[in-house]
Amino acid sequence: MSSPVRLGIIGLGNMGNSHAQQILQGKVPRMVLGAVCDTDPEKLKRCPDTPGFATHQELLKSGKVDAVLVATPHYDHTTIGIDAINAGVHTLIEKPLSVHKADCQKLIAAYEKRSRKDLVFAEMFNQRTDPRYRKLRELLQSGELGDIRRVNWIITDWYRTETYYASGGWRATWAGEGGGVLMNQCPHQLDLMQWMFGLPKKVRAHCQFGKWHDIEVEDACTAYLEYANGATGVFITTTGEAPGTNRLEVATDRGRVVVEGDGLQWTRTTQKVSEHLRTSPGAFGTPDRWEVKVPTNGWGGQHNEILGNFTEAILDGKALLGPAVEGIGGVELGNAMLMSSLWDRTVELPLDAAAVAAEYQKLIAKSRHKTKVVAAGAANDFANSAKGLAK
Amino acid sequence: MSSPVRLGIIGLGNMGNSHAQQILQGKVPRMVLGAVCDTDPEKLKRCPDTPGFATHQELLKSGKVDAVLVATPHYDHTTIGIDAINAGVHTLIEKPLSVHKADCQKLIAAYEKRSRKDLVFAEMFNQRTDPRYRKLRELLQSGELGDIRRVNWIITDWYRTETYYASGGWRATWAGEGGGVLMNQCPHQLDLMQWMFGLPKKVRAHCQFGKWHDIEVEDACTAYLEYANGATGVFITTTGEAPGTNRLEVATDRGRVVVEGDGLQWTRTTQKVSEHLRTSPGAFGTPDRWEVKVPTNGWGGQHNEILGNFTEAILDGKALLGPAVEGIGGVELGNAMLMSSLWDRTVELPLDAAAVAAEYQKLIAKSRHKTKVVAAGAANDFANSAKGLAK
């Protein structure tokens, strides 16, 4: 394909518009904004010099785009994503891939049946560009860290005010957004979890619904995880805490890595823990250890790096940082946490996708879906939030 | 009573002997070692110049002691403690108070029916002397920190080798010790949890039994807690990790306190989080905050401070740092974690003490209670471990 890639952005809400402005400012080499689409004519005015469409079907048929970015409310990721794939345009989906596993499967099935084999299908996994997580994954995959024994991620610096939840009528409702902190804020971490550690075999979670805010969905969750190798994990999140914490701790057979703030702090045992435990003649001693600071450089290119990688995949056949087909992992993990809470029991993975979808239908049926007042000034805040600063 | 207090130590194992040596070295003002007791004549040789008895009944009747310290295997804390109280001697019990709630109740009932009203009944809660936890409790009780929103204690620096577990035939068996990491290592943290935060209303825990070691009891546990005010908590422990972590994080309505290493790190919000969340006109902003380093001085007097406080309570009527009647709290919390795991469900507190006791009878009935080889040199390690270094 010839350069540049003409991107159509479907959904000019806060995230879609943020990406549009980056492209219009030339921040993504070899990518231009070909067209935009929003059902709200007011939103189209955000890109006054770009061809605008009221429906994604019109945009897809317009001949003005080689690729699309789907940045609509979550449920539409599935339907619009399928239409885009079937139209033969390269497709980048905002996170999450879909609300639940069955919808992810539909979307992936459409991609697998694509007529155009070179079609690029990506997801906006901007936090995969963060060098801290890339490095941790690399250390795990290389075997340098040995087997994982325990994982603990406290990710509670997603603080949101009532004003935030009042910024859109669809927000924080089962019918509109399809979930709360697990669906909106945590897809990054849920994806990183499965990307770095794989999916657990069992999940027992405790979500609280409207605990800190006047919303029907979960704004706090504590989940316990068990992996196939016996490792255990805890994942804790909420939008109700300030200052909040973002601290990932991984205990392995070679010590402990902590990711909090800048870089990785690795307390490295000079011997395998499992070997020392089994063979040491002393009752109390621990293996010798080194304090290793693993430097990393900044927070990565975030959203623009994903857009650039998507462009390179289209033009140069480069491998994707975030293939959309991998997006089902984080969705399934989040679904497992929600279902475990609703069903009040441990759930095993892989989940029964149909059972999860049926549960969502129940939630949607009883959704209050309140129309809320849009608070003045909130949009600017959203744009700032989308700048890709690592949380 | 006239000074000094003559203490009898019942059980001259690793802990009992460690305390005996401290007293013999004059480390506890106004306390002397009056007598010692052990069923093993070899152990009595550890205090060759002190009157020694083979049974606690003989020691209690000897007229050589005003007070006793019970440092026997755990199940005997109950029976010997009751005998000591009934004999009218001041009684200090090593942690845990008893193995399970019903035994605690029996011991406390004996104390409540005591004929001698000035009888002092204490527990060896040496970590209550740690100024970090005292300060945190003080900040919570004064209202300075506001309501607790979330608690997270990762206490995994209790690393133990197979050699440790081979050091005594009773160790790490249901029949002998009555549990694993929750019963032996964690009574400190379980007590501090209930001392600082109160007991939760609900517990859902996941213990692993013999996960890292060849033992029948739990050597790893992850527990989820829910408190009456809606706060949530996580408690994670194991003896299978190195280097392990000791990090207590408390999110409150006034920010977050982290106790890890020296002192307390308090990120203090200048406004109540609940108030900011409800009233802020912005969607993303967080309350302003201060980084507050709350200095504390060292790790406290630990075991010797408890012995000194016990002496002052006897001689001067001073309040106890660790009244034994409070010891039931941490035991109930640990019981709840174990029962939740065994019963594979959420348990509510207060626990049914009889149901817990019945479950212990089942565990004891199927206990392997292996006789293990005592490893050379392990005793010294135990003495060092008992020096009261804060973990």
Side-chain angles (χ1 to χ4, degrees):
Chain A
M1 208 197 99
S2 66
S3 177
V5 173
R6 299 170 302 156
L7 185 75
I9 295 184
I10 301 170
L12 270 190
N14 298 303
M15 289 305 303
N17 183 51
S18 170
H19 298 314
Q21 299 306 325
Q22 294 291 304
I23 295 165
L24 287 171
Q25 290 166 32
K27 298 282 176 68
V28 185
R30 299 193 289 164
M31 175 172 271
V32 295
L33 194 62
V36 290
C37 163
D38 205 291
T39 52
D40 178 359
E42 280 303 306
K43 293 226 172 79
L44 287 179
K45 293 180 186 164
R46 293 172 165 184
C47 300
D49 303 324
T50 306
F53 298 94
T55 68
H56 70 277
Q57 290 92 344
E58 290 172 84
L59 181 140
L60 290 171
K61 277 187 263 173
S62 69
K64 294 189 181 299
V65 302
D66 309 304
V68 292
L69 166 58
V70 182
T72 59
H74 303 154
Y75 287 109
D76 300 329
H77 290 187
T78 312
T79 50
I80 295 175
I82 290 171
D83 285 350
I85 289 166
N86 289 340
V89 304
H90 303 293
T91 302
L92 173 61
I93 311 275
E94 255 295 346
K95 55 88 191 164
L97 186 59
S98 292
V99 169
H100 55 70
K101 184 178 178 180
D103 273 2
C104 289
Q105 289 173 329
K106 283 184 203 167
L107 195 43
I108 291 169
Y111 171 68
E112 285 171 349
K113 286 183 294 186
R114 70 195 179 279
S115 47
R116 185 179 162 187
K117 287 300 158 198
D118 70 339
L119 196 82
V120 175
F121 184 36
E123 186 169 345
M124 183 56 84
F125 283 134
N126 52 289
Q127 292 217 17
R128 286 195 184 188
T129 71
D130 188 317
R132 297 173 303 166
Y133 305 120
R134 290 170 93 152
K135 177 59 76 177
L136 178 53
R137 183 167 182 264
E138 187 185 306
L139 289 171
L140 286 165
Q141 294 204 329
S142 71
E144 189 80 49
L145 287 171
D147 289 342
I148 297 173
R149 290 165 100 84
R150 186 177 59 78
V151 170
N152 185 280
W153 202 336
I154 305 175
I155 172 70
T156 59
D157 67 346
W158 290 121
Y159 180 71
R160 296 292 184 264
T161 60
E162 284 288 3
T163 301
Y164 166 85
Y165 286 112
S167 68
W170 63 287
R171 190 172 291 288
T173 61
W174 294 117
E177 195 165 19
V181 63
L182 291 173
M183 187 57 60
N184 184 302
Q185 283 77 30
C186 285
H188 298 299
Q189 286 78 34
L190 295 171
D191 173 61
L192 291 172
M193 287 281 282
Q194 70 93 22
W195 191 51
M196 293 187 288
F197 316 127
L199 281 175
K201 300 299 288 178
K202 291 183 183 183
V203 172
R204 180 64 174 99
H206 305 264
C207 291
Q208 284 86 38
F209 302 92
K211 179 176 190 175
W212 305 116
H213 306 87
D214 181 23
I215 55 176
E216 65 187 21
V217 296
E218 83 287 354
D219 56 359
C221 182
T222 301
Y224 167 76
L225 317 171
E226 277 182 17
Y227 293 86
N229 78 340
T232 59
V234 168
F235 184 84
I236 302 166
T237 192
T238 181
T239 53
E241 259 181 49
T245 295
N246 182 357
R247 182 179 184 279
L248 171 61
E249 169 175 302
V250 187
T252 77
D253 205 21
R254 278 292 193 170
R256 182 194 56 194
V257 176
V258 175
V259 183
E260 189 179 17
D262 196 18
L264 283 75
Q265 187 63 39
W266 178 15
T267 306
R268 181 182 186 277
T269 59
T270 56
Q271 187 180 7
K272 282 186 179 177
V273 175
S274 55
E275 185 184 276
H276 181 275
L277 186 148
R278 210 173 49 244
T279 61
S280 167
F284 290 97
T286 54
D288 288 340
R289 54 188 100 165
W290 301 341
E291 284 300 336
V292 182
K293 176 80 176 174
V294 182
T296 56
N297 188 11
W299 314 112
Q302 296 289 335
H303 299 93
N304 286 353
E305 184 170 343
I306 295 292
L307 289 169
N309 172 252
F310 181 55
T311 304
E312 290 169 343
I314 295 168
L315 296 178
D316 314 327
K318 189 171 172 184
L320 287 171
L321 256 174
V325 291
E326 294 181 7
I328 194 170
V331 171
E332 180 156 18
L333 184 54
N335 285 177
M337 292 179 189
L338 180 63
M339 294 303 131
S340 172
S341 300
L342 293 173
W343 296 338
D344 194 21
R345 61 171 173 84
T346 302
V347 297
E348 301 200 5
L349 277 72
L351 293 175
D352 177 340
V356 174
E359 194 64 42
Y360 267 97
Q361 288 312 313
K362 283 195 248 172
L363 292 169
I364 291 167
K366 70 172 186 181
S367 177
R368 288 183 280 151
H369 200 125
K370 293 188 303 185
T371 302
K372 291 175 182 173
V373 178
V374 176
N380 280 333
D381 287 335
F382 276 88
N384 287 332
S385 165
K387 287 271 165 62
L389 296 173
K391 295 297 296 182
Chain B
M1 207 195 102
S2 65
S3 177
V5 172
R6 299 171 303 157
L7 185 75
I9 293 183
I10 300 170
L12 269 191
N14 298 305
M15 289 306 303
N17 183 50
S18 170
H19 298 314
Q21 300 307 323
Q22 293 292 302
I23 295 164
L24 287 171
Q25 290 166 33
K27 297 283 176 68
V28 185
R30 299 192 291 165
M31 176 172 270
V32 295
L33 194 63
V36 290
C37 163
D38 204 291
T39 52
D40 177 359
E42 280 303 307
K43 293 227 172 78
L44 287 177
K45 293 181 186 164
R46 292 171 165 187
C47 300
D49 303 322
T50 307
F53 299 94
T55 69
H56 71 276
Q57 290 93 343
E58 290 171 85
L59 180 141
L60 290 171
K61 277 187 266 175
S62 69
K64 293 189 182 298
V65 301
D66 309 305
V68 292
L69 166 58
V70 181
T72 60
H74 303 153
Y75 287 109
D76 300 330
H77 291 187
T78 311
T79 50
I80 295 175
I82 291 170
D83 286 350
I85 290 167
N86 289 341
V89 303
H90 305 290
T91 303
L92 173 60
I93 311 273
E94 254 295 347
K95 57 87 190 164
L97 186 58
S98 292
V99 169
H100 56 69
K101 184 177 177 180
D103 273 1
C104 289
Q105 289 174 329
K106 282 184 202 165
L107 194 44
I108 292 170
Y111 172 68
E112 284 171 350
K113 288 183 296 186
R114 71 196 177 279
S115 48
R116 187 178 161 189
K117 287 302 157 194
D118 70 340
L119 197 81
V120 175
F121 184 36
E123 186 169 344
M124 184 56 85
F125 284 134
N126 53 289
Q127 293 218 14
R128 286 195 184 188
T129 70
D130 188 316
R132 298 173 302 167
Y133 305 120
R134 293 170 92 152
K135 177 59 77 177
L136 178 54
R137 183 169 182 263
E138 189 186 305
L139 289 171
L140 286 165
Q141 294 204 329
S142 70
E144 190 80 50
L145 287 172
D147 291 342
I148 297 173
R149 291 165 99 85
R150 187 177 58 78
V151 170
N152 185 281
W153 202 336
I154 305 175
I155 172 72
T156 58
D157 66 346
W158 289 122
Y159 180 72
R160 296 291 185 266
T161 60
E162 284 288 2
T163 302
Y164 167 86
Y165 286 112
S167 67
W170 63 287
R171 189 172 293 286
T173 61
W174 294 115
E177 194 165 20
V181 63
L182 292 173
M183 187 57 60
N184 184 301
Q185 283 78 28
C186 285
H188 298 299
Q189 285 78 33
L190 294 170
D191 174 61
L192 291 171
M193 287 281 281
Q194 69 92 22
W195 191 52
M196 294 188 285
F197 316 127
L199 282 175
K201 300 300 288 180
K202 292 183 182 182
V203 172
R204 180 64 175 101
H206 306 264
C207 291
Q208 284 87 39
F209 303 92
K211 179 176 187 174
W212 305 116
H213 306 86
D214 181 24
I215 56 177
E216 65 187 20
V217 297
E218 83 286 353
D219 56 359
C221 181
T222 302
Y224 167 77
L225 316 171
E226 278 183 17
Y227 293 86
N229 78 341
T232 59
V234 168
F235 184 85
I236 302 165
T237 191
T238 182
T239 54
E241 257 180 51
T245 296
N246 182 356
R247 181 180 185 277
L248 171 62
E249 167 175 302
V250 187
T252 77
D253 206 20
R254 278 294 193 171
R256 182 194 55 193
V257 177
V258 175
V259 184
E260 188 178 17
D262 196 18
L264 283 75
Q265 187 63 38
W266 179 14
T267 306
R268 182 184 185 278
T269 59
T270 56
Q271 187 181 6
K272 282 185 179 177
V273 175
S274 55
E275 187 183 275
H276 180 276
L277 185 148
R278 212 172 48 245
T279 62
S280 167
F284 289 97
T286 54
D288 288 339
R289 54 188 100 165
W290 302 340
E291 284 300 335
V292 182
K293 176 80 179 177
V294 182
T296 57
N297 187 10
W299 315 111
Q302 295 290 335
H303 298 94
N304 286 353
E305 184 171 342
I306 294 292
L307 289 169
N309 171 255
F310 182 55
T311 304
E312 290 170 341
I314 294 167
L315 295 178
D316 313 327
K318 191 171 171 183
L320 286 172
L321 256 174
V325 291
E326 294 180 7
I328 194 172
V331 171
E332 180 156 17
L333 184 53
N335 285 177
M337 292 179 189
L338 180 62
M339 293 303 132
S340 172
S341 300
L342 294 173
W343 296 339
D344 195 20
R345 63 171 173 83
T346 301
V347 298
E348 302 201 3
L349 278 71
L351 293 174
D352 177 341
V356 174
E359 194 65 43
Y360 267 98
Q361 287 312 312
K362 282 195 249 172
L363 291 169
I364 291 167
K366 70 172 186 182
S367 178
R368 286 183 280 150
H369 200 125
K370 294 189 303 187
T371 302
K372 292 175 180 173
V373 178
V374 176
N380 280 334
D381 286 338
F382 276 89
N384 287 332
S385 165
K387 286 271 164 64
L389 296 174
K391 295 298 296 185

